[in-house]
Amino acid sequence: MFNSWLPESQDRLPLTWWKQHPVYLAAIIALVAAASMIVTAVLGYDLMGHFVFTFDRAFGELHLWTPLTYVLFNPPSLWTLIGCYLLWSFGEAVERHLGRRAFVRMLLLLLLVSPLLITVLGLLGIRGPGCAGILQLEFGVFIAFATLYPRAKISIIILTIDAWVLAAIFVGLNALGSLAARDWLSLLLLAANVGSAYAFIRYETGELKLPSMPKPAFKPAKAKKPATPHAPTVDDILDKISREGMQSLTAEERRILDKASDEMKRRAR
């Protein structure tokens, strides 16, 4: 299914073109996220709340679709709109570099890492916050961009700074905010999101290798080939005649003896 939806031959081509401009998957996702703000406002928070992921709602009320749909709950916000633009811009750069197939794998990782962590904590009896909105995914894409292009220059009003510096500032501010509120679960979710984006880019660029399973020390015993019998020599045949008589010879032994006799006669001539 993955190969049919995302053929490898079109991995680095745009999805479509609009007024001679290439349109990549990152742009489509950014437009869907922007449209979801309108949908959230029209349908209201109560109805759209069924898309939000929490441990109790997902497993207590069997809202099993919420680990994938929580990114569609986006109340109208300027920050969400700015995040959509950043997802379009930075996500497109990551997609062009890695290819669409790897980009989709990264999006799925960033989408599922928070629900998975919240689920593990819930199974341990720790009730954590829910997941709602696309801001976390957008932030993970920016971390991926900063990991891929750490020295890329980003202009902010009158400042121009490296991408890795801006990423460090964002991560530091979020971490300090969670630390000040003693919100350890949010701090853990932040670390999971940032770490997943960073590790994925390192892995895709070949800078990070997954540990391999150690090979067993013993080797399976090889099956022994049956030994092929050697043809008897003339001396062996003569010894057999002296022990058991001429009648004990097999057809093969008689043939060998006759051949040796003919050879001796030929040499004698």
Side-chain angles (χ1 to χ4, degrees), residues 179-246:
L179 182 62
R182 297 299 185 265
D183 189 351
W184 309 117
L185 294 179
S186 294
L187 190 62
L188 187 59
L189 289 173
L190 174 66
N193 190 42
V194 173
S196 298
Y198 177 78
F200 183 87
I201 295 298
R202 292 287 305 277
Y203 174 75
E204 285 294 325
T205 54
E207 299 176 10
L208 179 66
K209 301 292 184 182
L210 293 178
S212 57
M213 296 296 293
K215 296 182 179 180
F218 64 92
K219 294 182 179 179
K222 296 182 179 179
K224 295 183 178 179
K225 296 181 179 180
T228 56
H230 295 285
T233 63
V234 175
D235 292 337
D236 294 335
I237 297 173
L238 294 176
D239 290 340
K240 185 177 181 181
I241 293 174
S242 63
R243 292 193 312 268
E244 304 176 17
M246 192 71 178

Side-chain angles (χ1 to χ4, degrees), residues 103-115:
F103 184 67
V104 169
R105 291 196 297 268
M106 185 189 74
L107 291 179
L108 290 175
L109 175 64
L110 295 176
L111 180 69
L112 295 175
V113 63
S114 293

Side-chain angles (χ1 to χ4, degrees), residues 128-148:
C131 296
I134 200 171
L135 281 175
Q136 196 172 39
L137 179 66
E138 294 168 341
F139 185 65
V141 171
F142 175 70
I143 295 298
F145 172 83
T147 305
L148 196 58

Side-chain angles (χ1 to χ4, degrees), residues 165-187:
V165 175
L166 185 59
I169 292 173
F170 285 160
V171 173
L173 290 176
N174 279 278
L176 289 175
S178 299
L179 182 62
R182 297 299 185 265
D183 189 351
W184 309 117
L185 294 179
S186 294
L187 190 62

Side-chain angles (χ1 to χ4, degrees), residues 35-109:
S36 70
M37 291 193 295
I38 301 175
V39 175
T40 302
V42 172
L43 298 182
Y45 294 161
D46 291 338
L47 183 58
M48 290 297 294
H50 292 286
F51 291 94
V52 175
F53 173 82
T54 63
F55 180 82
D56 293 332
R57 181 170 293 174
F59 300 100
E61 303 176 16
L62 295 182
H63 289 186
L64 301 180
W65 58 87
T66 53
L68 299 175
T69 61
Y70 71 88
V71 291
L72 298 176
F73 181 86
N74 291 296
S77 167
L78 178 61
W79 287 111
T80 302
L81 189 61
I82 294 175
C84 291
Y85 172 76
L86 297 179
L87 173 61
W88 187 330
S89 178
F90 297 126
E92 190 173 287
V94 175
E95 181 180 353
R96 286 199 306 265
H97 186 98
L98 298 179
R100 188 173 301 117
R101 293 154 64 92
F103 184 67
V104 169
R105 291 196 297 268
M106 185 189 74
L107 291 179
L108 290 175
L109 175 64

